[in-house]
Amino acid sequence: MMKSTGQSLLHSGAAILRNGTGWLLPALIVLAWEIAARTGLISPNVMAAPSAVAEAFWRLLLSGELVRNIGVSTARALSGFVIGGSIGLVFGLANGLSGLSRNLTDTTLQMVRNIPHLALIPLVILWFGIDEEAKLFLVALGVFFPIYVNTLLGIQSVDPQLVEMGRVYGMSRATLFFRVILPGALPAIFVGLRYALGIMWLTLIVAETIAASSGLGYMAMQAREFLLIDVVVLSILIYALLGKLADSFARLLERLTLQWHPAFQTA
Amino acid sequence: MSVIALDQKAKDARPARETAEARALRETTPTHWFPYAAPHARGRDVRENAFSFRGISRKFGDKTVLDNIDLDVPAGQFIAVIGKSGCGKSTLLRLLTGLDRPTSGTLTVNKGAEGQNRTRIMFQEPRLLPWARIAKNVEVGLTGIAKGPQAHEQSLAILREVGLADRAKEWPSVLSGGQRQRVALARALVAHPYILALDEPLGALDALTRIEMQQLLERIWLQQAFTAVLVTHDVSEAVALADRVIVIDHGRIALDIDIPLERPRRHGSPELARLEGQILDTLFGSAA
């Protein structure tokens, strides 16, 4: 009894260690950074010490500025993502399922895809000014393509033998789609989703630093004006955390819906 | 006459268990059956045809894959179709299951009891949905026939039959090749098909699993009394399982013989070897 308890403790300890190893290196880097800043190895107007960043975090948190800006940025990111992602998904599904639709739209979409969407910023500012629409448009455009391309790829790579099997067993078109085609395309759609989440943050950062009157990017640009290097570093860190959060969320979704996939089976 | 949907207790009433009388009847040509009466009326009474090919041809471009095939298969018969690869035997199955259409000729597939005109095919690959658990995969066989708890009940029953009831909740990826093929068999059988077409279903299995699967297939065929059409390139498998073997060569039926041996048949018995030799001679010429 004692032994088994000890063993299970050992196991959970090992599990924590295993999950924690990924954080070991960042922790060491932060430590070295702090030491370097304290000893004057890094000048304060090049890089703020971690403690200074933490202080800035606390200050902005208390003033409510941080929460408001994170809120604004997240709302922008997500609404752009929803708009661009759903259009991408619809086009991906339509072009994957219908040759007519693919012939009609795919060439055009592939041409547009080759324009870096950030190159449109000057045009977008002329169209929308620096209002919300500009950011929504850019994020939606950026998110659209990874979702579109991967959804299309996913549907085209569904095993035709399974589709034939579904037909032989008399599945209707709807049943065939929901039971065979969509689940088969899902792994690829998730790859697109994770790419899209990365592009979503990237686009938003760029758009907010160039043309905005609120949000995290705006906060960083304002801080630059007043040489508040701790706030600049803080904004960058928060972007990193938000990106990581979005990715973890996508992974969680993946794990829940792709339980059947050998790559996600624990037992 | 009910050919499908018989419960397992009434085994003796099955046409699949061919009685000596029925066999004698089948082995004489129809015109000699009842010279004084309309021959087909009584003939249908004993054993109607599950399906018949009349002058069926299938061409792909210039290439003739099936050339004027005539074939009648009585309900409940286990027929094996042998041929070298590319001889058109898979095309024959695809025509039978409606996956393909003949270029010319007529194909009649009769209805089973209560209009249950179900032809099922079992492929060489299991073709299970990787994202559906085993029981759900079997329920695919009941698409449009049964739903919900009833479908689940039936799928568990047939899984018990193939010896996989305890794996009902698992994903296909954790099963072995033989087990997956058993699930595919369960899926094909769950709706009690009238005709079961088997397209080299054991081709990818190892020798021992093959023999196990052959025995399973024979047992379930004896119980359920469907018409089985087994396409294979394994001559010993064909003579071990089938009532009748046809050999297809260059798109034509080169040989059509009955295997009048008692079941269960022993692998490697002299009678089987003799029939096997006869079939191989047809395939490769007697000089070989």
Side-chain angles (χ1 to χ4, degrees), chain A residues 161-162 164-165 168-171 179-180 183-184 259-260 262 265, chain B residues 94 99 120-121 125 127-128 130-131 133 141 143 171 173 187-188:
Chain A
Q161 292 192 330
L162 287 182
E164 190 185 64
M165 183 281 294
V168 171
Y169 280 96
M171 287 187 181
R179 297 286 307 275
V180 181
Q259 281 178 46
W260 54 270
Q265 277 162 16
Chain B
R94 296 180 70 85
L99 284 170
R120 289 294 194 225
I121 186 166
E125 322 78 27
R127 301 202 190 182
L128 303 180
W131 42 83
R133 296 186 191 267
T143 305
W171 301 110
S173 58
R187 180 180 62 191

PDB file of all heavy atoms in Angstrom, chain A residues 161-162 164-165 168-171 179-180 183-184 259-260 262 265, chain B residues 94 99 120-121 125 127-128 130-131 133 141 143 171 173 187-188:
ATOM      1  N   GLN A 161     -11.717   5.477 -51.321  1.00  0.00           N
ATOM      2  CA  GLN A 161     -12.258   4.140 -51.031  1.00  0.00           C
ATOM      3  C   GLN A 161     -13.333   4.212 -49.960  1.00  0.00           C
ATOM      4  O   GLN A 161     -14.320   3.480 -50.010  1.00  0.00           O
ATOM      5  CB  GLN A 161     -11.138   3.231 -50.556  1.00  0.00           C
ATOM      6  CG  GLN A 161     -10.123   2.911 -51.644  1.00  0.00           C
ATOM      7  CD  GLN A 161      -9.209   1.786 -51.238  1.00  0.00           C
ATOM      8  OE1 GLN A 161      -8.934   1.611 -50.055  1.00  0.00           O
ATOM      9  NE2 GLN A 161      -8.741   1.029 -52.198  1.00  0.00           N
ATOM     10  N   LEU A 162     -13.122   5.122 -48.980  1.00  0.00           N
ATOM     11  CA  LEU A 162     -14.130   5.274 -47.933  1.00  0.00           C
ATOM     12  C   LEU A 162     -15.391   5.901 -48.512  1.00  0.00           C
ATOM     13  O   LEU A 162     -16.509   5.540 -48.141  1.00  0.00           O
ATOM     14  CB  LEU A 162     -13.600   6.142 -46.792  1.00  0.00           C
ATOM     15  CG  LEU A 162     -12.569   5.498 -45.878  1.00  0.00           C
ATOM     16  CD1 LEU A 162     -12.180   6.448 -44.768  1.00  0.00           C
ATOM     17  CD2 LEU A 162     -13.106   4.206 -45.287  1.00  0.00           C
ATOM     18  N   GLU A 164     -16.432   5.617 -51.560  1.00  0.00           N
ATOM     19  CA  GLU A 164     -17.104   4.562 -52.329  1.00  0.00           C
ATOM     20  C   GLU A 164     -17.861   3.622 -51.391  1.00  0.00           C
ATOM     21  O   GLU A 164     -19.010   3.248 -51.648  1.00  0.00           O
ATOM     22  CB  GLU A 164     -16.065   3.771 -53.136  1.00  0.00           C
ATOM     23  CG  GLU A 164     -16.698   2.823 -54.130  1.00  0.00           C
ATOM     24  CD  GLU A 164     -15.669   1.958 -54.850  1.00  0.00           C
ATOM     25  OE1 GLU A 164     -14.995   1.142 -54.195  1.00  0.00           O
ATOM     26  OE2 GLU A 164     -15.543   2.107 -56.050  1.00  0.00           O
ATOM     27  N   MET A 165     -17.212   3.274 -50.272  1.00  0.00           N
ATOM     28  CA  MET A 165     -17.859   2.413 -49.289  1.00  0.00           C
ATOM     29  C   MET A 165     -19.159   3.060 -48.813  1.00  0.00           C
ATOM     30  O   MET A 165     -20.198   2.412 -48.758  1.00  0.00           O
ATOM     31  CB  MET A 165     -16.885   2.177 -48.122  1.00  0.00           C
ATOM     32  CG  MET A 165     -17.347   1.243 -47.039  1.00  0.00           C
ATOM     33  SD  MET A 165     -18.487   1.965 -45.862  1.00  0.00           S
ATOM     34  CE  MET A 165     -17.445   3.191 -45.069  1.00  0.00           C
ATOM     35  N   VAL A 168     -21.811   2.683 -51.432  1.00  0.00           N
ATOM     36  CA  VAL A 168     -22.313   1.310 -51.527  1.00  0.00           C
ATOM     37  C   VAL A 168     -23.316   1.030 -50.409  1.00  0.00           C
ATOM     38  O   VAL A 168     -24.306   0.336 -50.600  1.00  0.00           O
ATOM     39  CB  VAL A 168     -21.151   0.297 -51.463  1.00  0.00           C
ATOM     40  CG1 VAL A 168     -21.671  -1.120 -51.347  1.00  0.00           C
ATOM     41  CG2 VAL A 168     -20.275   0.432 -52.685  1.00  0.00           C
ATOM     42  N   TYR A 169     -23.054   1.605 -49.232  1.00  0.00           N
ATOM     43  CA  TYR A 169     -23.956   1.369 -48.115  1.00  0.00           C
ATOM     44  C   TYR A 169     -25.137   2.331 -48.112  1.00  0.00           C
ATOM     45  O   TYR A 169     -25.840   2.464 -47.124  1.00  0.00           O
ATOM     46  CB  TYR A 169     -23.194   1.420 -46.789  1.00  0.00           C
ATOM     47  CG  TYR A 169     -22.475   0.115 -46.523  1.00  0.00           C
ATOM     48  CD1 TYR A 169     -21.152  -0.065 -46.855  1.00  0.00           C
ATOM     49  CD2 TYR A 169     -23.168  -0.968 -45.982  1.00  0.00           C
ATOM     50  CE1 TYR A 169     -20.507  -1.272 -46.655  1.00  0.00           C
ATOM     51  CE2 TYR A 169     -22.541  -2.178 -45.769  1.00  0.00           C
ATOM     52  CZ  TYR A 169     -21.217  -2.318 -46.108  1.00  0.00           C
ATOM     53  OH  TYR A 169     -20.596  -3.520 -45.905  1.00  0.00           O
ATOM     54  N   GLY A 170     -25.312   3.039 -49.211  1.00  0.00           N
ATOM     55  CA  GLY A 170     -26.519   3.830 -49.386  1.00  0.00           C
ATOM     56  C   GLY A 170     -26.579   5.104 -48.560  1.00  0.00           C
ATOM     57  O   GLY A 170     -27.664   5.574 -48.211  1.00  0.00           O
ATOM     58  N   MET A 171     -25.422   5.690 -48.225  1.00  0.00           N
ATOM     59  CA  MET A 171     -25.459   6.953 -47.486  1.00  0.00           C
ATOM     60  C   MET A 171     -25.978   8.073 -48.396  1.00  0.00           C
ATOM     61  O   MET A 171     -25.592   8.147 -49.562  1.00  0.00           O
ATOM     62  CB  MET A 171     -24.049   7.329 -47.023  1.00  0.00           C
ATOM     63  CG  MET A 171     -23.530   6.480 -45.892  1.00  0.00           C
ATOM     64  SD  MET A 171     -21.959   7.151 -45.320  1.00  0.00           S
ATOM     65  CE  MET A 171     -21.544   5.992 -44.023  1.00  0.00           C
ATOM     66  N   ARG A 179     -20.492  12.031 -42.080  1.00  0.00           N
ATOM     67  CA  ARG A 179     -19.897  10.831 -41.498  1.00  0.00           C
ATOM     68  C   ARG A 179     -18.542  10.495 -42.100  1.00  0.00           C
ATOM     69  O   ARG A 179     -17.717   9.858 -41.465  1.00  0.00           O
ATOM     70  CB  ARG A 179     -20.830   9.622 -41.690  1.00  0.00           C
ATOM     71  CG  ARG A 179     -22.172   9.735 -40.992  1.00  0.00           C
ATOM     72  CD  ARG A 179     -22.056   9.537 -39.488  1.00  0.00           C
ATOM     73  NE  ARG A 179     -21.386   8.323 -39.106  1.00  0.00           N
ATOM     74  CZ  ARG A 179     -21.980   7.147 -39.000  1.00  0.00           C
ATOM     75  NH1 ARG A 179     -23.229   7.035 -39.263  1.00  0.00           N
ATOM     76  NH2 ARG A 179     -21.295   6.085 -38.622  1.00  0.00           N
ATOM     77  N   VAL A 180     -18.331  10.851 -43.363  1.00  0.00           N
ATOM     78  CA  VAL A 180     -17.101  10.420 -44.042  1.00  0.00           C
ATOM     79  C   VAL A 180     -16.205  11.598 -44.419  1.00  0.00           C
ATOM     80  O   VAL A 180     -15.043  11.645 -44.036  1.00  0.00           O
ATOM     81  CB  VAL A 180     -17.448   9.585 -45.303  1.00  0.00           C
ATOM     82  CG1 VAL A 180     -16.173   9.110 -45.981  1.00  0.00           C
ATOM     83  CG2 VAL A 180     -18.318   8.393 -44.938  1.00  0.00           C
ATOM     84  N   PRO A 183     -15.191  14.398 -41.275  1.00  0.00           N
ATOM     85  CA  PRO A 183     -14.207  13.868 -40.321  1.00  0.00           C
ATOM     86  C   PRO A 183     -12.867  13.578 -40.979  1.00  0.00           C
ATOM     87  O   PRO A 183     -11.818  13.752 -40.359  1.00  0.00           O
ATOM     88  CB  PRO A 183     -14.852  12.565 -39.828  1.00  0.00           C
ATOM     89  CG  PRO A 183     -16.275  12.626 -40.194  1.00  0.00           C
ATOM     90  CD  PRO A 183     -16.400  13.555 -41.364  1.00  0.00           C
ATOM     91  N   GLY A 184     -12.896  13.173 -42.244  1.00  0.00           N
ATOM     92  CA  GLY A 184     -11.652  12.882 -42.940  1.00  0.00           C
ATOM     93  C   GLY A 184     -10.842  14.137 -43.206  1.00  0.00           C
ATOM     94  O   GLY A 184      -9.612  14.103 -43.243  1.00  0.00           O
ATOM     95  N   GLN A 259      -9.917  12.211 -31.355  1.00  0.00           N
ATOM     96  CA  GLN A 259      -9.574  11.109 -30.450  1.00  0.00           C
ATOM     97  C   GLN A 259      -9.257   9.813 -31.189  1.00  0.00           C
ATOM     98  O   GLN A 259      -8.491   8.987 -30.727  1.00  0.00           O
ATOM     99  CB  GLN A 259     -10.760  10.814 -29.532  1.00  0.00           C
ATOM    100  CG  GLN A 259     -10.913  11.758 -28.402  1.00  0.00           C
ATOM    101  CD  GLN A 259     -12.147  11.403 -27.605  1.00  0.00           C
ATOM    102  OE1 GLN A 259     -12.385  10.258 -27.281  1.00  0.00           O
ATOM    103  NE2 GLN A 259     -12.954  12.397 -27.298  1.00  0.00           N
ATOM    104  N   TRP A 260      -9.888   9.662 -32.349  1.00  0.00           N
ATOM    105  CA  TRP A 260      -9.708   8.417 -33.106  1.00  0.00           C
ATOM    106  C   TRP A 260      -8.331   8.315 -33.727  1.00  0.00           C
ATOM    107  O   TRP A 260      -7.866   7.249 -34.072  1.00  0.00           O
ATOM    108  CB  TRP A 260     -10.751   8.348 -34.214  1.00  0.00           C
ATOM    109  CG  TRP A 260     -10.745   9.567 -35.109  1.00  0.00           C
ATOM    110  CD1 TRP A 260     -11.469  10.703 -34.920  1.00  0.00           C
ATOM    111  CD2 TRP A 260      -9.968   9.763 -36.283  1.00  0.00           C
ATOM    112  NE1 TRP A 260     -11.191  11.593 -35.915  1.00  0.00           N
ATOM    113  CE2 TRP A 260     -10.280  11.047 -36.764  1.00  0.00           C
ATOM    114  CE3 TRP A 260      -9.053   8.978 -36.990  1.00  0.00           C
ATOM    115  CZ2 TRP A 260      -9.698  11.563 -37.923  1.00  0.00           C
ATOM    116  CZ3 TRP A 260      -8.480   9.500 -38.133  1.00  0.00           C
ATOM    117  CH2 TRP A 260      -8.804  10.783 -38.590  1.00  0.00           C
ATOM    118  N   PRO A 262      -4.544   7.937 -34.381  1.00  0.00           N
ATOM    119  CA  PRO A 262      -3.497   7.267 -33.594  1.00  0.00           C
ATOM    120  C   PRO A 262      -2.549   8.253 -32.905  1.00  0.00           C
ATOM    121  O   PRO A 262      -2.054   7.973 -31.828  1.00  0.00           O
ATOM    122  CB  PRO A 262      -2.750   6.448 -34.650  1.00  0.00           C
ATOM    123  CG  PRO A 262      -3.737   6.223 -35.743  1.00  0.00           C
ATOM    124  CD  PRO A 262      -4.652   7.412 -35.747  1.00  0.00           C
ATOM    125  N   GLN A 265      -3.932   9.165 -29.431  1.00  0.00           N
ATOM    126  CA  GLN A 265      -4.354   8.126 -28.496  1.00  0.00           C
ATOM    127  C   GLN A 265      -3.295   7.917 -27.442  1.00  0.00           C
ATOM    128  O   GLN A 265      -2.135   7.669 -27.748  1.00  0.00           O
ATOM    129  CB  GLN A 265      -4.644   6.825 -29.249  1.00  0.00           C
ATOM    130  CG  GLN A 265      -6.046   6.833 -29.817  1.00  0.00           C
ATOM    131  CD  GLN A 265      -6.217   5.816 -30.897  1.00  0.00           C
ATOM    132  OE1 GLN A 265      -5.406   4.921 -31.032  1.00  0.00           O
ATOM    133  NE2 GLN A 265      -7.275   5.942 -31.675  1.00  0.00           N
TER     134      GLN A 265
ATOM    135  N   ARG B  94     -18.194  -5.572 -59.506  1.00  0.00           N
ATOM    136  CA  ARG B  94     -18.626  -4.174 -59.526  1.00  0.00           C
ATOM    137  C   ARG B  94     -19.938  -4.022 -60.287  1.00  0.00           C
ATOM    138  O   ARG B  94     -20.768  -3.192 -59.934  1.00  0.00           O
ATOM    139  CB  ARG B  94     -17.535  -3.273 -60.112  1.00  0.00           C
ATOM    140  CG  ARG B  94     -16.260  -3.256 -59.265  1.00  0.00           C
ATOM    141  CD  ARG B  94     -15.202  -2.360 -59.856  1.00  0.00           C
ATOM    142  NE  ARG B  94     -15.572  -0.962 -59.756  1.00  0.00           N
ATOM    143  CZ  ARG B  94     -15.355  -0.210 -58.699  1.00  0.00           C
ATOM    144  NH1 ARG B  94     -14.771  -0.721 -57.647  1.00  0.00           N
ATOM    145  NH2 ARG B  94     -15.713   1.048 -58.695  1.00  0.00           N
ATOM    146  N   LEU B  99     -21.763  -0.832 -58.775  1.00  0.00           N
ATOM    147  CA  LEU B  99     -20.720   0.190 -58.791  1.00  0.00           C
ATOM    148  C   LEU B  99     -20.325   0.540 -60.212  1.00  0.00           C
ATOM    149  O   LEU B  99     -19.638   1.519 -60.457  1.00  0.00           O
ATOM    150  CB  LEU B  99     -19.481  -0.303 -58.039  1.00  0.00           C
ATOM    151  CG  LEU B  99     -19.580  -0.301 -56.522  1.00  0.00           C
ATOM    152  CD1 LEU B  99     -18.415  -1.038 -55.902  1.00  0.00           C
ATOM    153  CD2 LEU B  99     -19.621   1.123 -56.007  1.00  0.00           C
ATOM    154  N   ARG B 120     -24.497  -6.637 -50.723  1.00  0.00           N
ATOM    155  CA  ARG B 120     -23.420  -5.995 -49.980  1.00  0.00           C
ATOM    156  C   ARG B 120     -22.091  -6.446 -50.564  1.00  0.00           C
ATOM    157  O   ARG B 120     -21.968  -7.562 -51.051  1.00  0.00           O
ATOM    158  CB  ARG B 120     -23.458  -6.412 -48.507  1.00  0.00           C
ATOM    159  CG  ARG B 120     -24.617  -5.814 -47.747  1.00  0.00           C
ATOM    160  CD  ARG B 120     -24.464  -4.319 -47.650  1.00  0.00           C
ATOM    161  NE  ARG B 120     -25.363  -3.756 -46.662  1.00  0.00           N
ATOM    162  CZ  ARG B 120     -26.094  -2.671 -46.876  1.00  0.00           C
ATOM    163  NH1 ARG B 120     -26.053  -2.061 -48.037  1.00  0.00           N
ATOM    164  NH2 ARG B 120     -26.857  -2.190 -45.928  1.00  0.00           N
ATOM    165  N   ILE B 121     -21.114  -5.574 -50.475  1.00  0.00           N
ATOM    166  CA  ILE B 121     -19.794  -5.939 -50.966  1.00  0.00           C
ATOM    167  C   ILE B 121     -18.791  -5.819 -49.838  1.00  0.00           C
ATOM    168  O   ILE B 121     -18.885  -4.935 -48.996  1.00  0.00           O
ATOM    169  CB  ILE B 121     -19.383  -5.081 -52.181  1.00  0.00           C
ATOM    170  CG1 ILE B 121     -18.070  -5.581 -52.771  1.00  0.00           C
ATOM    171  CG2 ILE B 121     -19.295  -3.612 -51.820  1.00  0.00           C
ATOM    172  CD1 ILE B 121     -17.763  -5.012 -54.146  1.00  0.00           C
ATOM    173  N   GLU B 125      -9.732  -4.265 -48.803  1.00  0.00           N
ATOM    174  CA  GLU B 125      -9.332  -3.512 -47.613  1.00  0.00           C
ATOM    175  C   GLU B 125     -10.561  -3.433 -46.711  1.00  0.00           C
ATOM    176  O   GLU B 125     -11.679  -3.425 -47.208  1.00  0.00           O
ATOM    177  CB  GLU B 125      -8.912  -2.089 -47.968  1.00  0.00           C
ATOM    178  CG  GLU B 125      -8.129  -1.923 -49.250  1.00  0.00           C
ATOM    179  CD  GLU B 125      -9.006  -1.983 -50.485  1.00  0.00           C
ATOM    180  OE1 GLU B 125     -10.194  -1.651 -50.375  1.00  0.00           O
ATOM    181  OE2 GLU B 125      -8.506  -2.377 -51.553  1.00  0.00           O
ATOM    182  N   ARG B 127     -11.759  -0.892 -45.134  1.00  0.00           N
ATOM    183  CA  ARG B 127     -12.473   0.372 -45.365  1.00  0.00           C
ATOM    184  C   ARG B 127     -13.367   0.752 -44.191  1.00  0.00           C
ATOM    185  O   ARG B 127     -14.557   1.052 -44.366  1.00  0.00           O
ATOM    186  CB  ARG B 127     -13.311   0.314 -46.638  1.00  0.00           C
ATOM    187  CG  ARG B 127     -12.480   0.021 -47.870  1.00  0.00           C
ATOM    188  CD  ARG B 127     -13.159   0.461 -49.128  1.00  0.00           C
ATOM    189  NE  ARG B 127     -12.436  -0.040 -50.295  1.00  0.00           N
ATOM    190  CZ  ARG B 127     -12.771   0.219 -51.549  1.00  0.00           C
ATOM    191  NH1 ARG B 127     -13.823   0.963 -51.797  1.00  0.00           N
ATOM    192  NH2 ARG B 127     -12.077  -0.257 -52.543  1.00  0.00           N
ATOM    193  N   LEU B 128     -12.794   0.700 -43.000  1.00  0.00           N
ATOM    194  CA  LEU B 128     -13.544   1.156 -41.825  1.00  0.00           C
ATOM    195  C   LEU B 128     -13.330   2.653 -41.678  1.00  0.00           C
ATOM    196  O   LEU B 128     -12.295   3.178 -42.075  1.00  0.00           O
ATOM    197  CB  LEU B 128     -13.036   0.444 -40.573  1.00  0.00           C
ATOM    198  CG  LEU B 128     -13.082  -1.080 -40.601  1.00  0.00           C
ATOM    199  CD1 LEU B 128     -12.542  -1.635 -39.296  1.00  0.00           C
ATOM    200  CD2 LEU B 128     -14.504  -1.566 -40.829  1.00  0.00           C
ATOM    201  N   PRO B 130     -12.043   5.493 -39.759  1.00  0.00           N
ATOM    202  CA  PRO B 130     -11.114   5.542 -38.622  1.00  0.00           C
ATOM    203  C   PRO B 130     -11.672   6.351 -37.459  1.00  0.00           C
ATOM    204  O   PRO B 130     -11.252   6.183 -36.335  1.00  0.00           O
ATOM    205  CB  PRO B 130      -9.864   6.229 -39.194  1.00  0.00           C
ATOM    206  CG  PRO B 130     -10.065   6.335 -40.653  1.00  0.00           C
ATOM    207  CD  PRO B 130     -11.522   6.191 -40.941  1.00  0.00           C
ATOM    208  N   TRP B 131     -12.620   7.250 -37.755  1.00  0.00           N
ATOM    209  CA  TRP B 131     -13.136   8.150 -36.713  1.00  0.00           C
ATOM    210  C   TRP B 131     -14.419   7.633 -36.083  1.00  0.00           C
ATOM    211  O   TRP B 131     -15.082   8.355 -35.357  1.00  0.00           O
ATOM    212  CB  TRP B 131     -13.378   9.543 -37.286  1.00  0.00           C
ATOM    213  CG  TRP B 131     -14.003   9.492 -38.645  1.00  0.00           C
ATOM    214  CD1 TRP B 131     -15.318   9.356 -38.933  1.00  0.00           C
ATOM    215  CD2 TRP B 131     -13.308   9.549 -39.887  1.00  0.00           C
ATOM    216  NE1 TRP B 131     -15.488   9.323 -40.287  1.00  0.00           N
ATOM    217  CE2 TRP B 131     -14.279   9.441 -40.897  1.00  0.00           C
ATOM    218  CE3 TRP B 131     -11.963   9.683 -40.230  1.00  0.00           C
ATOM    219  CZ2 TRP B 131     -13.941   9.461 -42.256  1.00  0.00           C
ATOM    220  CZ3 TRP B 131     -11.644   9.695 -41.576  1.00  0.00           C
ATOM    221  CH2 TRP B 131     -12.616   9.585 -42.569  1.00  0.00           C
ATOM    222  N   ARG B 133     -16.129   4.428 -33.784  1.00  0.00           N
ATOM    223  CA  ARG B 133     -15.793   3.233 -33.011  1.00  0.00           C
ATOM    224  C   ARG B 133     -16.352   2.007 -33.715  1.00  0.00           C
ATOM    225  O   ARG B 133     -17.194   2.115 -34.601  1.00  0.00           O
ATOM    226  CB  ARG B 133     -16.340   3.375 -31.590  1.00  0.00           C
ATOM    227  CG  ARG B 133     -15.664   4.540 -30.869  1.00  0.00           C
ATOM    228  CD  ARG B 133     -16.070   4.621 -29.412  1.00  0.00           C
ATOM    229  NE  ARG B 133     -15.623   5.893 -28.836  1.00  0.00           N
ATOM    230  CZ  ARG B 133     -14.463   6.045 -28.192  1.00  0.00           C
ATOM    231  NH1 ARG B 133     -13.650   5.032 -28.050  1.00  0.00           N
ATOM    232  NH2 ARG B 133     -14.129   7.218 -27.706  1.00  0.00           N
ATOM    233  N   GLY B 141     -23.541  -0.349 -41.832  1.00  0.00           N
ATOM    234  CA  GLY B 141     -24.240  -1.367 -42.611  1.00  0.00           C
ATOM    235  C   GLY B 141     -25.744  -1.279 -42.499  1.00  0.00           C
ATOM    236  O   GLY B 141     -26.460  -1.916 -43.270  1.00  0.00           O
ATOM    237  N   THR B 143     -27.349   1.717 -42.566  1.00  0.00           N
ATOM    238  CA  THR B 143     -27.740   3.032 -43.070  1.00  0.00           C
ATOM    239  C   THR B 143     -29.085   2.941 -43.790  1.00  0.00           C
ATOM    240  O   THR B 143     -29.246   2.142 -44.703  1.00  0.00           O
ATOM    241  CB  THR B 143     -26.677   3.562 -44.053  1.00  0.00           C
ATOM    242  OG1 THR B 143     -25.423   3.565 -43.404  1.00  0.00           O
ATOM    243  CG2 THR B 143     -27.018   4.979 -44.515  1.00  0.00           C
ATOM    244  N   TRP B 171     -11.393   2.021 -31.192  1.00  0.00           N
ATOM    245  CA  TRP B 171     -11.163   2.628 -32.496  1.00  0.00           C
ATOM    246  C   TRP B 171     -10.575   1.586 -33.436  1.00  0.00           C
ATOM    247  O   TRP B 171      -9.827   0.723 -33.002  1.00  0.00           O
ATOM    248  CB  TRP B 171     -10.185   3.798 -32.387  1.00  0.00           C
ATOM    249  CG  TRP B 171     -10.619   4.900 -31.481  1.00  0.00           C
ATOM    250  CD1 TRP B 171     -10.065   5.215 -30.275  1.00  0.00           C
ATOM    251  CD2 TRP B 171     -11.693   5.824 -31.689  1.00  0.00           C
ATOM    252  NE1 TRP B 171     -10.734   6.279 -29.726  1.00  0.00           N
ATOM    253  CE2 TRP B 171     -11.737   6.677 -30.564  1.00  0.00           C
ATOM    254  CE3 TRP B 171     -12.620   6.003 -32.716  1.00  0.00           C
ATOM    255  CZ2 TRP B 171     -12.669   7.704 -30.447  1.00  0.00           C
ATOM    256  CZ3 TRP B 171     -13.552   7.025 -32.595  1.00  0.00           C
ATOM    257  CH2 TRP B 171     -13.569   7.858 -31.474  1.00  0.00           C
ATOM    258  N   SER B 173      -8.128   1.756 -35.325  1.00  0.00           N
ATOM    259  CA  SER B 173      -6.664   1.774 -35.421  1.00  0.00           C
ATOM    260  C   SER B 173      -5.994   0.812 -34.448  1.00  0.00           C
ATOM    261  O   SER B 173      -4.844   0.455 -34.663  1.00  0.00           O
ATOM    262  CB  SER B 173      -6.148   3.190 -35.193  1.00  0.00           C
ATOM    263  OG  SER B 173      -6.567   3.661 -33.937  1.00  0.00           O
ATOM    264  N   ARG B 187     -20.052  -5.632 -40.730  1.00  0.00           N
ATOM    265  CA  ARG B 187     -20.755  -4.498 -41.329  1.00  0.00           C
ATOM    266  C   ARG B 187     -21.535  -4.935 -42.568  1.00  0.00           C
ATOM    267  O   ARG B 187     -22.663  -4.512 -42.793  1.00  0.00           O
ATOM    268  CB  ARG B 187     -19.744  -3.419 -41.698  1.00  0.00           C
ATOM    269  CG  ARG B 187     -20.358  -2.192 -42.336  1.00  0.00           C
ATOM    270  CD  ARG B 187     -19.311  -1.169 -42.686  1.00  0.00           C
ATOM    271  NE  ARG B 187     -18.373  -1.688 -43.667  1.00  0.00           N
ATOM    272  CZ  ARG B 187     -17.233  -1.092 -44.003  1.00  0.00           C
ATOM    273  NH1 ARG B 187     -16.889   0.025 -43.432  1.00  0.00           N
ATOM    274  NH2 ARG B 187     -16.434  -1.628 -44.905  1.00  0.00           N
ATOM    275  N   ALA B 188     -20.919  -5.833 -43.359  1.00  0.00           N
ATOM    276  CA  ALA B 188     -21.583  -6.295 -44.574  1.00  0.00           C
ATOM    277  C   ALA B 188     -22.783  -7.176 -44.242  1.00  0.00           C
ATOM    278  O   ALA B 188     -23.761  -7.213 -44.984  1.00  0.00           O
ATOM    279  CB  ALA B 188     -20.599  -7.059 -45.448  1.00  0.00           C
TER     280      ALA B 188
END
